[in-house]
Amino acid sequence: MLRATLKGMAARKARLILTSIAVVLGSAFIAAALVLTASIQTTVDDLNGDAYAGADVIVQPVEPENRGDRLVRDGVSAETLAAIEANDDVAGVSTTVTWMINALGDDGKIVGGFAPTMAVNWGDESVERELREGRGPEAANEVAVSAQFTTDSGLGLGDSVEAYSLSTEKTAYEIVGVFGYSGDRDSLSGATELAFTTDEAQRLVFDGEDVYTTVAVTAVDGVSDAELLTALEPAVGEESDALSRQAYVDDLNAETAEATNLIGYFLLGFGLIAVFVSVFLIANTFSIVIAGRLKEIAMMRAVGASRGQIIRSVVAEAGLLGAVASVIGAGLGVAAGAGLTSAVGNSFLDTASASIAIPATAPIAAVAVGLVVTILSALVPAVRASKIPPVEAMREAVKADKPITGVTVTGLVVTLIGAVAIALGLTETFDEGNANIAAAAVGAGVVFVGVALLTAWLSKPVVALLGTLWSWSFAGRLGRLNASRNPRRTAVTAAALMIGVTLVTATATLLTSVKASLAEQFESSIKAELFVSGPVTSSVPATFDPALMDDIREADGVAAAVELYYDLAQVDGTEQYVNATTDLEGGLDLFGGEVLEGSLADLQEGETAVNEWSADQLGVGIGDTVSMTFSRGTEAREFTVVGILADNEDTDGWYVDPSYAGEFYTPKPTTALVDVADGADVDEVTAEVEAILADEPAVSVQNHEEYLAQVTVFFDYAIIAIQLLLALAMIVAVIGVINTLVLSVLERTRELGMLRAIGMTRGQTTRMVTVESVTIALFGALLGIGTGLLLGWIVQQALVPSGIEEFAVPTALVAAYLGAAVLVGLLAAIAPAVRASKVDILGAISYE
């Protein structure tokens, strides 16, 4: 049987190649994801390992537990530094002062976005900086900049650059030097740096305090890291932490590992989707191959082969195929992962040489997954083949395809179970909201599985309907009939595209519904026509001078204007958002907020207002007292609750008098709302407000549409990201349709010969196969779109209590999916159509 299996495989090389492509793709994606993830982490670890090279111990301030406190820089005091320097075991120290700042380019706009602009002190030795032009700063009004900053800002040696932090005013500095980094890098992972004198860096980062972000300590010869740590304990005290340089690098590596793991999970998801889709393709391929070998298998049964031998024969064929294909896929994936690492290193990590890491798990996992998936996918067709009775060898006709009754009934039952779970979740049957959401989400997943099982049953009516589009021609009618003649095969082939389209349609629908809900809330609640704010992608919150608010309020055409400060503070021991505005009552009117209890006509010092949800969370009401510690505050302050606000996305949190804003992380306002007077020209008011803010480059004036587009920009990024999943599904779907059609053409060789013999032209044959291909692809896309819209609606309805009240269909994306499906069908038809049109008529008629 083994020899017969090997000879059979050798005689079907084309089919084997087609079958193996899906396995190669899935294995390659898994190997590439694991190699890329490991390589990025290794490269980042190598970069981290360059930090404070030569130092033995790193001293830093104790890291706060609260996010709000971590936003504000604490430092190692000058007294601690002096005590460290005075220790006999210390040979030398290096100090670092660094944090994010804003700097303006030659266009007057802030440089940078996701990658921040950092202030550092020129004497900082945390990384190796290489001076390329000029010199280091020697005076408070001088600065050296990274090479990346010169590229991003358009400024260079001898130019003047304006820079400032959240707590300082814009200051002009002369660029006296340009530097790069080891490895001929222009930046550190895209970030830009401005190096000042230590005193000036302390003014920007620590408001002029004589403190340091980090102190790197070098031990005298003969003193170990452990001995130096022990010697420094009295000097470091309780407000700072001392750790060995290796421990410091290990901590850096652990932090970056979290980010690289996310990248790895995302990439691995691509591979798993490819593998999941491959299951359908491989199972379909083996079903087709076995269907074409019915007489061969029946003859083997007639001459004495047992059912077990038939199963082992098919599984052995699948195992050999899976082993070879997965090894090839693993090799390609490792190579692709190495190539992608170099690209990522050059583009995002700014390193001249990326470290390629090939973990043993990459090829092992790729081969194991490919092999297991191939064998499991072939198992059902193998069992089916073993049941072929020997009498089939006597028959000329091919055995009819297995009925779809069983899978249809199973699909209906599964779909019904999912529908019940959805109904329970949407009717809020459970006491907890999360339980209702979970029930609806699980039900949606079960419905997805049910619909997948019903694909074969749905294929006949849907394919027949689609076939009317091209039934006007003889070739079109034959193509439609071919697509619907085997519902099981059509369903499995279309499933590859259906899975991908369902996932991206459901996700895009949910994200579009979230955007639509935010837009509806925005339009219905906020009365202001104009908004003053900065980009949400900025690493440093955009702020502006609060004194300008008086000028804005006095501008022609402005009916009212309020500014908003915010902070992440500690309220009774919990992290809460705290806001401040000079006119809370007027601000609530523009926000569309509502006062439920109390009066906010004149919020005084020591008084606070809070939205209903936050009040319930802490169990406070009118007249109760809460304790607040702001990010820049040094002590807790007591506040009396004087007002309760209705829950509103735009007014949630706590409100205090602006006199406390100096203790906020952002001591200046970050947003302003402007109400345009009735009859005033909005464009003219916009121009006037922009003129008032001319010296505030961090913010701009936006209307409703512009502001909403900025607020929801992250949803747009997410939608773009999931389109990559669709691209992957499309690639696998093209291979699946090609595979099915080529094998189908081989299976129908005699039929094609008969059609050619009675007069069908090559062009008609090509059109027939193309119609069949496009019909199958459109069927998969339509089923995926319909299922995706349904799943998106279910999840959106479950999230209605969370404020996602609008259901929106991503019409443009749906149209694009349909267009892509047609393209998939056309591309997949090329090779099978050419093969079918070139069938030798006499050879096909005599084909067995």
Side-chain angles (χ1 to χ4, degrees), residues 52-59 80-96 123 125 214-221 223 228 232:
Y52 296 110
D56 297 302
V57 169
I58 307 299
V59 179
T80 300
L81 174 61
I84 292 173
E85 291 177 319
N87 193 287
D88 293 336
D89 291 331
V90 174
V93 299
S94 169
T95 57
T96 298
E125 297 179 3
T214 307
V215 175
V217 186
T218 305
V220 298
D221 293 338
V223 176
L228 182 59
L232 291 179

Side-chain angles (χ1 to χ4, degrees), residues 99-103 110-119 149 152 163 190-194 539-540:
W99 191 231
M100 296 179 291
I101 60 169
N102 284 323
I110 291 177
V111 178
F114 283 116
T117 296
M118 305 295 295
F149 181 81
D152 294 347
T192 58
E193 286 190 337
L194 281 76
S539 55
V540 179

Side-chain angles (χ1 to χ4, degrees), residues 207-410:
D207 295 334
E209 289 187 64
D210 189 10
V211 295
Y212 304 86
T213 307
T214 307
V215 175
V217 186
T218 305
V220 298
D221 293 338
V223 176
S224 67
D225 295 352
E227 291 172 337
L228 182 59
L229 284 171
T230 302
L232 291 179
E233 283 182 4
V236 170
E238 297 181 356
E239 295 183 356
S240 299
D241 279 333
L243 66 164
S244 69
R245 177 183 172 275
Q246 186 57 53
Y248 171 81
V249 171
D250 291 342
D251 288 345
L252 283 180
N253 292 342
E255 291 178 9
T256 54
E258 296 180 6
T260 53
N261 285 339
L262 289 177
I263 297 173
Y265 295 147
F266 183 74
L267 295 174
L268 196 58
F270 280 68
L272 292 176
I273 289 174
V275 170
F276 182 58
V277 173
S278 298
V279 172
F280 293 87
L281 301 187
I282 298 166
N284 196 29
T285 299
F286 271 94
S287 295
I288 296 172
V289 170
I290 289 171
R293 294 170 52 200
L294 286 179
K295 294 182 67 176
E296 174 190 330
I297 293 173
M299 184 66 72
M300 294 175 69
R301 293 277 284 122
V303 298
S306 65
R307 289 185 58 185
Q309 286 179 308
I310 297 296
I311 293 175
R312 288 193 292 273
S313 173
V314 176
V315 170
E317 182 175 337
L320 289 172
L321 174 68
V324 174
S326 57
V327 168
I328 294 173
L332 292 175
V334 169
L340 287 171
T341 299
S342 297
V344 170
N346 293 331
S347 301
F348 299 104
L349 299 178
D350 300 295
T351 178
S353 59
S355 301
I356 308 299
I358 304 177
T361 54
I364 292 174
V367 172
V369 170
L371 184 59
V372 170
V373 164
T374 307
I375 292 175
L376 291 179
S377 301
L379 195 57
V380 172
V383 173
R384 190 181 305 162
S386 71
K387 295 180 180 180
I388 298 174
V391 72
E392 284 291 335
M394 311 297 180
R395 298 182 181 176
E396 186 68 23
V398 177
K399 183 179 178 181
D401 192 54
K402 185 178 178 181
I404 61 173
T405 305
V407 71
T408 301
V409 172
T410 303

Side-chain angles (χ1 to χ4, degrees), residues 571-572 574-578 594 596-598 608-626 628 640-648 651-655:
V571 181
D572 279 357
T574 64
E575 284 190 335
Q576 303 276 330
Y577 279 103
V578 178
E594 179 184 355
L596 299 180
E597 296 181 57
T608 184
V610 59
N611 73 294
E612 189 175 22
W613 184 87
S614 297
D616 291 341
Q617 184 186 28
L618 295 186
V620 299
I622 298 294
D624 290 337
T625 300
V626 296
M628 293 188 188
T640 301
V641 178
V642 297
I644 304 293
L645 313 177
D647 290 334
N648 182 309
T651 59
D652 281 354
W654 299 76
Y655 283 83

